[in-house]
Amino acid sequence: MNATATATASLLELRGVSKRFGAVQALDGVDFHVGEGEVVGLVGDNGAGKSTLVKVMSGIYSPDEGEYRFGGEAVKVGSPTDATKLGVATVYQDLALADNLDVVANLFIGAEMTSGPLRALDEVAMEHRSRELLSTLSTTIPSVRSETGTLSGGQRQQVAIARSLLGDPKVVLLDEPTAALGVPQTRQVLDLVTRLKERGLGVVLISHNLENVFEVCDRIFVMRLGRRAGDYKVQETSSQEVIAALTGLSGNEAKERTA
């Protein structure tokens, strides 16, 4: 069933968003929303417009047309800083971690805590906050003083996601968080996505892995050729229906693809 009704009040909403790059229409009148405590899977083949949509949500791109709304209000988002101030955090696929630094340093890089008249780094406060945050997320990171380069792929994702939460965002955008991860590491990341949902955050999960999407998402938003091809409640759809929307195939053809 193609579901368009909003189960919960939208935190982040895009209305009629379009974006063009020269002759290429990357987004064409896209409506999108994510609500509190909701995980939305954003799926589509390469070139479908997923990355452009995420970059609009994160403030990297400004739409040529359409409206950006947050908390029910129309807002102007002209930069990543604007999006961050609203409460939108983005974890990109490259993670942007410094392998030679420990977990604490990576969590607070660019946002270090200081104390005293000389504004010296407050290592004790940062370590305490790091332990507190990682504990509430039930991560599998062995120590906040572990060198980040020694961690597994799943643990590195946990560090990047935890860092995004230091600013107390309301919406987290995750760009292919399980790409190139093994089964145990993928499980660590999917468990963390579930905990973000339990904290009441809106989560947008960009992924090519439909099995993962069906496991942790409430809705699946399908893009094709820069447009919305479907918006499905997970409990009311099937992988065949989603693949049909992804590819433009008929239901029977999609069923044959997954047989």
Side-chain angles (χ1 to χ4, degrees), residues 14-156:
L14 303 178
R15 293 184 180 179
V17 166
S18 295
K19 184 67 178 178
R20 177 182 290 275
F21 299 98
V24 177
Q25 187 75 47
L27 297 176
D28 188 4
V30 177
D31 295 328
F32 178 89
H33 68 271
V34 58
E36 182 179 345
E38 181 181 38
V39 183
V40 179
L42 178 57
V43 302
D45 284 337
N46 292 333
K50 301 188 308 298
S51 295
T52 304
L53 191 67
V54 169
K55 287 177 180 178
V56 169
M57 287 188 270
S58 65
I60 293 176
Y61 293 154
S62 294
D64 298 328
E65 299 174 9
E67 188 175 56
Y68 192 126
R69 299 179 65 86
F70 199 86
E73 301 288 336
V75 294
K76 176 68 175 177
V77 177
S79 69
T81 300
D82 291 341
T84 300
K85 288 179 179 178
L86 281 176
V88 180
T90 308
V91 180
Y92 295 102
Q93 194 170 350
D94 65 5
L95 302 184
L97 298 175
D99 287 348
N100 62 319
L101 300 179
D102 64 20
V103 172
V104 174
N106 269 286
L107 287 176
F108 284 93
I109 196 165
E112 292 82 0
M113 299 173 71
T114 59
S115 63
L118 298 180
R119 310 298 295 169
L121 287 181
D122 194 335
E123 293 284 354
V124 173
M126 288 191 290
E127 181 168 330
H128 176 75
R129 180 73 178 99
S130 298
R131 292 182 187 277
E132 180 182 62
L133 177 60
L134 297 178
S135 176
T136 61
L137 294 174
S138 300
T139 65
T140 61
I141 296 166
S143 168
V144 295
R145 289 304 179 184
S146 296
E147 190 172 285
T148 306
T150 67
L151 302 178
S152 71
Q155 291 167 336
R156 287 166 55 80

Side-chain angles (χ1 to χ4, degrees), residues 181-219:
L181 296 184
V183 174
Q185 292 79 23
T186 295
R187 169 49 47 202
Q188 293 169 2
V189 175
L190 295 180
D191 287 347
L192 185 50
V193 171
T194 299
R195 288 191 284 276
L196 296 181
K197 170 186 168 75
E198 292 169 350
R199 289 166 68 101
L201 299 178
V203 180
V204 179
L205 174 66
I206 301 92
S207 179
H208 282 91
N209 190 316
L210 283 184
E211 184 178 346
N212 292 346
V213 168
F214 269 90
E215 180 177 347
V216 299
C217 293
D218 301 292
R219 284 191 297 116

